[in-house]
């Protein structure tokens, strides 16, 4: 995996970890206070998926 992808992977994982830490687990999952963290977590997961897709595409391009 290229350094470029590793940096973004670390950023997305850090973002997910901070959002999970900041959630108010007593309030409820879809409480108004927690929705911004839920969106942040979902954006981080989507970012990780995109990083892996880009990594796979770069591996396919190297084989040709």
């Amino acid at each position: 995996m290229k350094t470029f992808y590793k940096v973004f992977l670390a950023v997305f994982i850090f973002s997910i970890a901070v959002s999970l830490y900041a959630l108010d687990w007593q309030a409820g999952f879809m409480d108004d206070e927690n929705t911004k963290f839920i969106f942040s977590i979902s954006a981080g997961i989507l970012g990780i998926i995109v990083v892996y897709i880009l990594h796979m595409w770069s591996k396919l391009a190297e084989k040709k």
Side-chain angles (χ1 to χ4, degrees), residues 3-18:
T3 306
F4 182 74
Y5 298 135
K6 288 179 185 177
V7 168
F8 278 103
L9 188 64
V11 167
F12 290 134
I13 290 173
F14 180 75
S15 170
I16 291 171
V18 167

Side-chain angles (χ1 to χ4, degrees), residues 44-54:
I45 291 171
L46 184 65
I48 289 174
I49 291 169
V50 169
V51 165
Y52 277 119
I53 289 171
L54 291 174

Side-chain angles (χ1 to χ4, degrees), residues 11-23 25 37 40-41:
V11 167
F12 290 134
I13 290 173
F14 180 75
S15 170
I16 291 171
V18 167
S19 296
L20 283 174
Y21 179 75
L23 275 176
W25 295 100
F37 301 120
S40 178
I41 291 169

